[in-house]
Amino acid sequence: MLLVAANYSDLDRKLVLALSHIKFHLGYFTKFGVPSWSRNADIETATQWSNGSFHRNLAQKLESAKFDFVFFEDSVTVADKYSGSRELDLKHAVYTPKHDPLPLLPLMTRCTSKIGVIATASTSFYPPYLLARLYSTIDSLSGGRVGWNIVTSSETAAARNFGMDELPPPAERYDRAEEYVELAKALWDSWEEGSLVADLETGVYVDHTKVRAVDFVGKWYKSRGPLNTLRSPQGRPVLAQAGASERGRDFAAKHAEVVVGTTSGGVEGMKSFREDIRRRAESFGRDPDECKVFFLLPLFINKRQQGAMSEKEATALLEYGLVMRSSSLNIDFSKYDLDAPLPQDVEAGGHTSALDALKKASAAGISLRETILSYYGKSELGMSGPAEAIAERMIDVMDQIGGDGFLIEGNGLTSHLGALTEQIIPLLQHEGAVRTEYSGHTLREVLREF
Ligand SMILES: Cc1cc2nc3c(=O)[nH]c(=O)nc-3n(C[C@H](O)[C@H](O)[C@H](O)COP(=O)(O)O)c2cc1C
């Protein structure tokens, strides 16, 4: 139970609670697309979200609940891997429409003062100089509250929008990303702290001795630099990454300050993922406390886990899942029998850990249909039911793992926002498990508050 003995004074109670729980961080996972079209759609939101009002409102609500950040996934394709057609992607709004989250970030930070905003951009498509300049500009616009989720992308269809026939294989994508991030960091550092002088007396605006060329020559990228933007409040955006493979984990541990993990391995798997990331971070000479692991968490507040569905709902969810997986794994699932387990020799063009999860289910004899359907409405960790039970379970799970935070899944689940911010968060705050105030100003400071 969440309750502490009644004979404690209020102060004792606060102290006991603060000592008895790990305090954890909170992020919110979403996209700049239609919220919840496939489930619980409300027509006004479904037709108005593209003007930014939904996400401005979201940022304000999450800031009042003292979330660390809102996190935007992103992709740059209209998905057609599944049976070679765009029909189901467009019908269920799976990948599409998806607007560019980067211009949205300043709108969200303009109407808030503390919450951070993290947007995804792909090293396979952006030229590094443009990306470094863009994030630097938005970091300045937001007063230092921006993060970059580094992805290498996995969809062939996306590659074809950028003049490529195929993406390089996953290992080479990580090789390139290593070099890319090294260059981006050099560009952000090409303006030293104190480079802006703005001295009316001497007439010097910028101290030229503190702005340097980077003269970067790598295997894939070359840039002279320096960047032509002022040094931004954070110097560089907070870096985030969600890598699950060996290479992905190394990349995350070396560069990321926010590492996204999944709950698929259960509490034990989550604990060992975090320990592994922290060990790797240390081996790269980093303080592991500067590398916070957030676990993507679907919540089913005030609901039981998805039980019997109507046929229409089950078909929509199945089609949604098939489009999503076909595109991200680069596998046309229309070629496989839905009522049989997926063959074990299927290979993915990325997201290898997601394919491993599908194969694990098929090895247990579970059909592709069942595996895809069971993903929706399912919480690996039992996070479904009344708010009190979920809050208690969140505390319990985080106590077992040892940190650092949850990334609450928002896509398709936006109807839970009221219950999340008005019921669950106050319960967690009451128990001393999450912050009740911000003390940091920039996103990096907020992440390092505890
Ligand atoms: C929670 C989560 C969010 C992700 N968001 C994106 C995204 O927005 N865009 C994208 O191209 N890839 C995204 N990915 C894919 C990862 O960047 C990465 O490619 C994937 O986890 C596979 O990593 P691995 O190849 O190291 O196993 C996401 C992965 C996870 C687990």
Side-chain angles (χ1 to χ4, degrees):
M1 282 296 288
L2 292 174
L3 298 175
V4 170
N7 57 351
Y8 279 116
S9 72
D10 266 4
L11 184 63
D12 287 341
R13 191 172 190 281
K14 273 191 185 146
L15 279 173
V16 168
L17 288 169
L19 290 174
S20 60
H21 298 311
I22 296 226
K23 202 168 185 180
F24 55 85
H25 296 260
L26 291 169
Y28 192 83
F29 184 77
T30 189
K31 65 178 175 182
F32 191 12
V34 55
S36 300
W37 175 246
S38 56
R39 273 181 289 178
N40 316 309
D42 102 65
I43 199 64
E44 197 184 328
T45 308
T47 50
Q48 299 296 315
W49 62 271
S50 60
N51 69 16
S53 54
F54 174 82
H55 291 93
R56 282 206 311 272
N57 195 285
L58 177 71
Q60 288 172 325
K61 276 212 173 98
L62 295 173
E63 179 167 271
S64 66
K66 309 291 182 284
F67 272 61
D68 292 50
F69 56 81
V70 187
F71 182 110
F72 285 90
E73 55 105 326
D74 199 27
S75 53
V76 275
T77 181
V78 179
D80 61 0
K81 185 73 188 175
Y82 184 73
S83 68
S85 163
R86 293 183 283 273
E87 180 184 347
L88 293 182
D89 181 23
L90 293 165
K91 177 180 177 190
H92 298 300
V94 186
Y95 266 73
T96 318
K98 208 177 278 185
H99 289 203
D100 191 328
L102 281 155
L104 178 65
L105 304 186
L107 295 184
M108 294 170 74
T109 53
R110 188 43 60 109
C111 67
T112 53
S113 61
K114 296 287 186 190
I115 194 164
V117 281
I118 299 181
T120 297
S122 174
T123 54
S124 294
F125 307 135
Y126 268 91
Y129 191 96
L130 278 186
L131 180 134
R133 183 170 187 248
L134 188 53
Y135 277 86
S136 166
T137 302
I138 297 180
D139 197 44
S140 288
L141 281 168
S142 68
R145 290 190 279 141
V146 159
W148 170 31
N149 177 39
I150 308 168
V151 299
T152 61
S153 298
S154 55
E155 303 93 1
T156 305
R160 294 188 178 154
N161 293 334
F162 295 88
M164 301 173 215
D165 293 327
E166 302 283 341
L167 284 164
E172 186 184 319
R173 295 208 293 270
Y174 272 124
D175 289 343
R176 288 173 183 252
E178 276 291 344
E179 200 180 292
Y180 189 115
V181 171
E182 200 191 322
L183 168 56
K185 285 179 176 172
L187 286 167
W188 287 315
D189 291 344
S190 65
W191 286 57
E192 264 180 46
E193 239 167 287
S195 43
L196 174 64
V197 179
D199 186 334
L200 285 174
E201 220 163 276
T202 60
V204 173
Y205 189 62
V206 172
D207 178 352
H208 74 101
T209 66
K210 295 189 168 166
V211 179
R212 296 199 187 84
V214 301
D215 291 323
F216 188 93
V217 183
K219 186 168 171 192
W220 288 284
Y221 302 104
K222 194 171 161 185
S223 177
R224 187 180 68 158
L227 213 54
N228 65 344
T229 48
L230 288 176
R231 188 177 172 85
S232 73
Q234 293 186 112
R236 62 172 81 142
V238 162
L239 301 182
Q241 213 256 343
S245 61
E246 281 295 308
R247 283 299 302 277
R249 288 178 187 218
D250 267 348
F251 187 90
K254 189 167 170 193
H255 301 290
E257 297 158 275
V258 169
V259 177
V260 181
T262 65
T263 56
S264 60
V267 176
E268 270 316 302
M270 293 160 77
K271 186 170 164 29
S272 72
F273 178 78
R274 176 172 179 266
E275 283 165 1
D276 182 46
I277 292 288
R278 289 174 65 84
R279 237 187 338 263
R280 290 176 198 242
E282 258 183 307
S283 76
F284 289 115
R286 298 182 66 199
D287 173 355
D289 289 338
E290 292 178 0
C291 185
K292 302 278 195 257
V293 179
F294 282 74
F295 293 97
L296 185 67
L297 188 68
L299 298 178
F300 299 93
I301 309 168
N302 298 328
K303 286 189 183 142
R304 287 205 313 274
Q305 298 207 24
Q306 202 77 257
M309 284 182 259
S310 70
E311 206 179 314
K312 184 177 167 216
E313 196 181 5
T315 305
L317 281 183
L318 181 67
E319 289 177 351
Y320 187 100
L322 288 166
V323 170
M324 178 68 92
R325 280 171 182 67
S326 285
S327 196
S328 66
L329 297 172
N330 228 3
I331 296 169
D332 180 359
F333 282 107
S334 71
K335 299 206 167 106
Y336 297 96
D337 181 356
L338 285 175
D339 293 308
L342 184 71
Q344 290 290 317
D345 58 0
V346 175
E347 280 186 21
H351 283 252
T352 41
S353 45
L355 183 61
D356 290 346
L358 286 185
K359 284 188 180 169
K360 207 165 123 193
S362 79
I366 303 173
S367 71
L368 184 56
R369 180 193 304 276
E370 241 182 293
T371 310
I372 299 230
L373 278 178
S374 71
Y375 178 80
Y376 299 96
K378 182 173 148 198
S379 165
E380 301 272 350
L381 300 174
M383 302 277 182
S384 57
E388 292 77 12
I390 292 181
E392 193 168 345
R393 182 77 180 129
M394 285 171 82
I395 293 174
D396 177 37
V397 166
M398 205 38 90
D399 279 346
Q400 291 183 60
I401 297 169
D404 298 292
F406 288 117
L407 181 58
I408 312 285
E409 195 170 315
N411 287 346
L413 297 172
T414 45
S415 60
H416 71 195
L417 200 56
L420 175 66
T421 55
E422 287 153 33
Q423 297 174 31
I424 294 198
I425 303 301
L427 284 166
L428 294 173
Q429 288 175 330
H430 183 71
E431 298 303 317
V434 296
R435 73 162 67 75
T436 51
E437 276 310 328
Y438 297 96
S439 59
H441 299 288
T442 66
L443 174 55
R444 186 165 289 118
E445 286 167 1
V446 165
L447 285 166
R448 292 182 188 177
E449 278 175 15
F450 47 88

